[in-house]
Amino acid sequence: MECRVLSIQSHVVRGYVGNKAATFPLQVLGFEVDSINSVQFSNHTGYSHWKGQVLTAEELNVLYEGIKCNNVNYYDYVLTGYSRDTSFLEMVVDIIQELKKANPNLVYVCDPVMGDHGAMYVPENLLPVYMNKVVPVADILTPNQFEAELLTGRKISTENDAIEVMELLHQMGPETVVLTSTYLPSKYGDQYLVALGSQKIVKPDGTNSSQKIRMEIPKVDAVFVGTGDLFAAMLLAWTHHHPKDLKVACEKTVSVMHHVIKRTITYANEMAGPGKRPNPAQLELRMVQSKADIENPALVVKATVL
């Protein structure tokens, strides 16, 4: 059976963020990807200049109606990322609810992009929409620590706090939650980042069990754009292949990230030259060059089961 993904994300002419970061890796792994571009920009906004257009909620609806008119509105997965407009986000929820009626097994993978390092970079009125409308229909959620804290109103200072926050997020809807990055200290020192995951599993006898995992991920000293979009896409792919094993799905996802980032920083440093910091253009993810790693990642990060 072919697997079809509807991905509603940003598009850039140059570089890899949003749909550009998600589509190729998913296609390489055998998924059919239908893309709706929430914006069309020349490049990501980390450059000195960018130009482009933004899709409105009404225009999104028109595109979806076109798909519906032809009776091809059947999807196995929906993937969403960065959005900065409440009406657009609410329209996305309406579409997902309708798609879930057509296919009750549809899995919605949501990266609730709102901010990082204690600051929101989307309008604050998006938070209640995420809390009350988006997260309840999500099946897989990939917030960073700050976003998880915003959604639950709870601060994370310890691993136990993080586990409690993931539990609260499960109660809001999603059965799989991955905290893609936290500020928790790593046992390997400050060159490592801690990520955590939790998956609720309903056993055949109807009882619940859960798998909780922790990963220590090597840090890279550079600012990459599009890594979160790639992470969510790879988590979609690897949870599809390992639906009851979050540990393996996360190990493969994080390993893909590691290989892509390593290839990118090596290239960027070469292009920048000795002693110079690479610019945004040089730091664009080396996606095409990483095709083999995306298809079959050598595992470089092992998750521990909590």
mmCIF file of all heavy atoms in Angstrom, residues 238-262:
data_model
loop_
_atom_site.group_PDB
_atom_site.id
_atom_site.type_symbol
_atom_site.label_atom_id
_atom_site.label_comp_id
_atom_site.label_asym_id
_atom_site.label_seq_id
_atom_site.Cartn_x
_atom_site.Cartn_y
_atom_site.Cartn_z
ATOM 1 N N TRP A 238 10.018 7.273 10.305
ATOM 2 C CA TRP A 238 10.552 6.148 11.092
ATOM 3 C C TRP A 238 9.537 5.595 12.084
ATOM 4 O O TRP A 238 9.583 4.421 12.426
ATOM 5 C CB TRP A 238 11.880 6.526 11.759
ATOM 6 C CG TRP A 238 12.956 6.759 10.730
ATOM 7 C CD1 TRP A 238 13.616 7.929 10.477
ATOM 8 C CD2 TRP A 238 13.468 5.812 9.782
ATOM 9 N NE1 TRP A 238 14.494 7.775 9.435
ATOM 10 C CE2 TRP A 238 14.425 6.479 8.995
ATOM 11 C CE3 TRP A 238 13.203 4.458 9.519
ATOM 12 C CZ2 TRP A 238 15.133 5.847 7.955
ATOM 13 C CZ3 TRP A 238 13.901 3.827 8.492
ATOM 14 C CH2 TRP A 238 14.853 4.526 7.727
ATOM 15 N N THR A 239 8.586 6.424 12.538
ATOM 16 C CA THR A 239 7.508 5.846 13.362
ATOM 17 C C THR A 239 6.570 5.019 12.478
ATOM 18 O O THR A 239 5.953 4.075 12.940
ATOM 19 C CB THR A 239 6.680 6.916 14.119
ATOM 20 O OG1 THR A 239 6.250 7.906 13.186
ATOM 21 C CG2 THR A 239 7.466 7.560 15.240
ATOM 22 N N HIS A 240 6.488 5.376 11.192
ATOM 23 C CA HIS A 240 5.682 4.568 10.261
ATOM 24 C C HIS A 240 6.300 3.165 10.126
ATOM 25 O O HIS A 240 5.599 2.164 10.116
ATOM 26 C CB HIS A 240 5.613 5.246 8.896
ATOM 27 C CG HIS A 240 4.892 4.430 7.858
ATOM 28 N ND1 HIS A 240 3.520 4.299 7.845
ATOM 29 C CD2 HIS A 240 5.356 3.682 6.830
ATOM 30 C CE1 HIS A 240 3.171 3.497 6.833
ATOM 31 N NE2 HIS A 240 4.261 3.120 6.204
ATOM 32 N N HIS A 241 7.629 3.131 10.020
ATOM 33 C CA HIS A 241 8.323 1.848 9.880
ATOM 34 C C HIS A 241 8.439 1.093 11.204
ATOM 35 O O HIS A 241 8.584 -0.132 11.220
ATOM 36 C CB HIS A 241 9.712 2.058 9.269
ATOM 37 C CG HIS A 241 9.656 2.475 7.824
ATOM 38 N ND1 HIS A 241 9.067 1.716 6.846
ATOM 39 C CD2 HIS A 241 10.100 3.603 7.202
ATOM 40 C CE1 HIS A 241 9.160 2.340 5.678
ATOM 41 N NE2 HIS A 241 9.769 3.491 5.875
ATOM 42 N N HIS A 242 8.422 1.826 12.324
ATOM 43 C CA HIS A 242 8.536 1.208 13.665
ATOM 44 C C HIS A 242 7.434 1.756 14.568
ATOM 45 O O HIS A 242 7.714 2.475 15.532
ATOM 46 C CB HIS A 242 9.912 1.501 14.281
ATOM 47 C CG HIS A 242 11.061 1.136 13.399
ATOM 48 N ND1 HIS A 242 11.522 -0.148 13.259
ATOM 49 C CD2 HIS A 242 11.832 1.897 12.590
ATOM 50 C CE1 HIS A 242 12.536 -0.162 12.398
ATOM 51 N NE2 HIS A 242 12.745 1.059 11.982
ATOM 52 N N PRO A 243 6.165 1.416 14.271
ATOM 53 C CA PRO A 243 5.041 2.075 14.952
ATOM 54 C C PRO A 243 4.971 1.823 16.454
ATOM 55 O O PRO A 243 4.427 2.629 17.187
ATOM 56 C CB PRO A 243 3.805 1.522 14.247
ATOM 57 C CG PRO A 243 4.263 0.291 13.539
ATOM 58 C CD PRO A 243 5.715 0.449 13.259
ATOM 59 N N LYS A 244 5.538 0.728 16.932
ATOM 60 C CA LYS A 244 5.432 0.417 18.361
ATOM 61 C C LYS A 244 6.781 0.539 19.064
ATOM 62 O O LYS A 244 6.959 0.064 20.168
ATOM 63 C CB LYS A 244 4.904 -1.008 18.559
ATOM 64 C CG LYS A 244 3.486 -1.232 18.040
ATOM 65 C CD LYS A 244 2.448 -0.903 19.121
ATOM 66 C CE LYS A 244 1.036 -1.191 18.671
ATOM 67 N NZ LYS A 244 0.506 -0.168 17.760
ATOM 68 N N ASP A 245 7.752 1.150 18.382
ATOM 69 C CA ASP A 245 9.091 1.233 18.970
ATOM 70 C C ASP A 245 9.673 2.632 18.811
ATOM 71 O O ASP A 245 10.420 2.912 17.877
ATOM 72 C CB ASP A 245 10.011 0.196 18.317
ATOM 73 C CG ASP A 245 11.277 -0.047 19.132
ATOM 74 O OD1 ASP A 245 11.588 0.783 20.012
ATOM 75 O OD2 ASP A 245 11.941 -1.079 18.899
ATOM 76 N N LEU A 246 9.284 3.505 19.739
ATOM 77 C CA LEU A 246 9.744 4.893 19.683
ATOM 78 C C LEU A 246 11.264 4.981 19.774
ATOM 79 O O LEU A 246 11.878 5.847 19.156
ATOM 80 C CB LEU A 246 9.093 5.705 20.813
ATOM 81 C CG LEU A 246 9.383 7.206 20.806
ATOM 82 C CD1 LEU A 246 8.840 7.867 19.551
ATOM 83 C CD2 LEU A 246 8.825 7.882 22.045
ATOM 84 N N LYS A 247 11.865 4.073 20.529
ATOM 85 C CA LYS A 247 13.326 4.068 20.711
ATOM 86 C C LYS A 247 14.033 3.988 19.355
ATOM 87 O O LYS A 247 14.873 4.828 19.018
ATOM 88 C CB LYS A 247 13.736 2.893 21.611
ATOM 89 C CG LYS A 247 15.237 2.784 21.862
ATOM 90 C CD LYS A 247 15.537 1.573 22.754
ATOM 91 C CE LYS A 247 16.996 1.511 23.164
ATOM 92 N NZ LYS A 247 17.907 1.209 22.044
ATOM 93 N N VAL A 248 13.673 2.988 18.550
ATOM 94 C CA VAL A 248 14.319 2.802 17.243
ATOM 95 C C VAL A 248 13.983 3.969 16.312
ATOM 96 O O VAL A 248 14.855 4.489 15.606
ATOM 97 C CB VAL A 248 13.897 1.455 16.612
ATOM 98 C CG1 VAL A 248 14.422 1.335 15.181
ATOM 99 C CG2 VAL A 248 14.412 0.292 17.455
ATOM 100 N N ALA A 249 12.721 4.395 16.316
ATOM 101 C CA ALA A 249 12.305 5.498 15.439
ATOM 102 C C ALA A 249 13.108 6.767 15.746
ATOM 103 O O ALA A 249 13.560 7.464 14.832
ATOM 104 C CB ALA A 249 10.810 5.768 15.605
ATOM 105 N N CYS A 250 13.299 7.046 17.035
ATOM 106 C CA CYS A 250 14.058 8.239 17.423
ATOM 107 C C CYS A 250 15.550 8.101 17.127
ATOM 108 O O CYS A 250 16.199 9.062 16.713
ATOM 109 C CB CYS A 250 13.844 8.552 18.905
ATOM 110 S SG CYS A 250 12.251 9.325 19.234
ATOM 111 N N GLU A 251 16.084 6.899 17.341
ATOM 112 C CA GLU A 251 17.506 6.676 17.037
ATOM 113 C C GLU A 251 17.776 6.917 15.554
ATOM 114 O O GLU A 251 18.764 7.556 15.187
ATOM 115 C CB GLU A 251 17.917 5.245 17.419
ATOM 116 C CG GLU A 251 18.045 5.053 18.921
ATOM 117 C CD GLU A 251 18.235 3.593 19.338
ATOM 118 O OE1 GLU A 251 18.026 2.686 18.503
ATOM 119 O OE2 GLU A 251 18.592 3.358 20.500
ATOM 120 N N LYS A 252 16.895 6.427 14.707
ATOM 121 C CA LYS A 252 17.087 6.613 13.260
ATOM 122 C C LYS A 252 16.893 8.077 12.874
ATOM 123 O O LYS A 252 17.654 8.625 12.075
ATOM 124 C CB LYS A 252 16.132 5.710 12.478
ATOM 125 C CG LYS A 252 16.520 4.241 12.576
ATOM 126 C CD LYS A 252 15.773 3.390 11.563
ATOM 127 C CE LYS A 252 16.297 1.946 11.610
ATOM 128 N NZ LYS A 252 15.602 1.087 10.616
ATOM 129 N N THR A 253 15.873 8.715 13.465
ATOM 130 C CA THR A 253 15.604 10.125 13.166
ATOM 131 C C THR A 253 16.796 11.000 13.549
ATOM 132 O O THR A 253 17.284 11.806 12.743
ATOM 133 C CB THR A 253 14.350 10.600 13.934
ATOM 134 O OG1 THR A 253 13.227 9.835 13.493
ATOM 135 C CG2 THR A 253 14.074 12.073 13.708
ATOM 136 N N VAL A 254 17.279 10.824 14.773
ATOM 137 C CA VAL A 254 18.385 11.654 15.263
ATOM 138 C C VAL A 254 19.675 11.344 14.501
ATOM 139 O O VAL A 254 20.484 12.238 14.241
ATOM 140 C CB VAL A 254 18.561 11.465 16.790
ATOM 141 C CG1 VAL A 254 19.840 12.116 17.275
ATOM 142 C CG2 VAL A 254 17.363 12.066 17.523
ATOM 143 N N SER A 255 19.840 10.103 14.094
ATOM 144 C CA SER A 255 21.037 9.734 13.330
ATOM 145 C C SER A 255 21.025 10.387 11.944
ATOM 146 O O SER A 255 22.056 10.882 11.479
ATOM 147 C CB SER A 255 21.165 8.214 13.225
ATOM 148 O OG SER A 255 21.395 7.662 14.519
ATOM 149 N N VAL A 256 19.858 10.423 11.292
ATOM 150 C CA VAL A 256 19.749 11.142 10.017
ATOM 151 C C VAL A 256 20.156 12.599 10.221
ATOM 152 O O VAL A 256 20.965 13.152 9.466
ATOM 153 C CB VAL A 256 18.312 11.080 9.430
ATOM 154 C CG1 VAL A 256 18.164 12.054 8.257
ATOM 155 C CG2 VAL A 256 17.968 9.667 8.980
ATOM 156 N N MET A 257 19.597 13.216 11.273
ATOM 157 C CA MET A 257 19.914 14.620 11.573
ATOM 158 C C MET A 257 21.418 14.817 11.712
ATOM 159 O O MET A 257 21.998 15.746 11.163
ATOM 160 C CB MET A 257 19.259 15.050 12.896
ATOM 161 C CG MET A 257 17.770 14.880 12.977
ATOM 162 S SD MET A 257 16.898 15.893 11.822
ATOM 163 C CE MET A 257 17.448 17.494 12.308
ATOM 164 N N HIS A 258 22.034 13.905 12.472
ATOM 165 C CA HIS A 258 23.472 13.996 12.742
ATOM 166 C C HIS A 258 24.269 13.976 11.432
ATOM 167 O O HIS A 258 25.166 14.800 11.226
ATOM 168 C CB HIS A 258 23.897 12.836 13.645
ATOM 169 C CG HIS A 258 25.370 12.794 13.909
ATOM 170 N ND1 HIS A 258 25.969 13.531 14.901
ATOM 171 C CD2 HIS A 258 26.373 12.107 13.292
ATOM 172 C CE1 HIS A 258 27.281 13.302 14.882
ATOM 173 N NE2 HIS A 258 27.538 12.447 13.921
ATOM 174 N N HIS A 259 23.932 13.036 10.546
ATOM 175 C CA HIS A 259 24.684 12.905 9.287
ATOM 176 C C HIS A 259 24.494 14.133 8.396
ATOM 177 O O HIS A 259 25.455 14.635 7.811
ATOM 178 C CB HIS A 259 24.259 11.637 8.539
ATOM 179 C CG HIS A 259 24.582 10.371 9.282
ATOM 180 N ND1 HIS A 259 25.859 10.050 9.687
ATOM 181 C CD2 HIS A 259 23.791 9.345 9.701
ATOM 182 C CE1 HIS A 259 25.845 8.881 10.322
ATOM 183 N NE2 HIS A 259 24.598 8.443 10.350
ATOM 184 N N VAL A 260 23.265 14.625 8.313
ATOM 185 C CA VAL A 260 22.989 15.792 7.468
ATOM 186 C C VAL A 260 23.719 17.024 8.018
ATOM 187 O O VAL A 260 24.356 17.775 7.271
ATOM 188 C CB VAL A 260 21.468 16.066 7.373
ATOM 189 C CG1 VAL A 260 21.196 17.388 6.643
ATOM 190 C CG2 VAL A 260 20.764 14.918 6.654
ATOM 191 N N ILE A 261 23.633 17.205 9.341
ATOM 192 C CA ILE A 261 24.260 18.377 9.963
ATOM 193 C C ILE A 261 25.782 18.319 9.843
ATOM 194 O O ILE A 261 26.448 19.315 9.552
ATOM 195 C CB ILE A 261 23.800 18.510 11.436
ATOM 196 C CG1 ILE A 261 22.351 19.012 11.470
ATOM 197 C CG2 ILE A 261 24.720 19.443 12.223
ATOM 198 C CD1 ILE A 261 21.697 18.944 12.838
ATOM 199 N N LYS A 262 26.330 17.128 10.038
ATOM 200 C CA LYS A 262 27.792 16.968 9.946
ATOM 201 C C LYS A 262 28.279 17.297 8.526
ATOM 202 O O LYS A 262 29.267 18.011 8.340
ATOM 203 C CB LYS A 262 28.156 15.531 10.300
ATOM 204 C CG LYS A 262 29.448 15.499 11.017
ATOM 205 C CD LYS A 262 29.677 14.395 11.975
ATOM 206 C CE LYS A 262 31.083 14.610 12.339
ATOM 207 N NZ LYS A 262 31.891 14.552 13.144
#
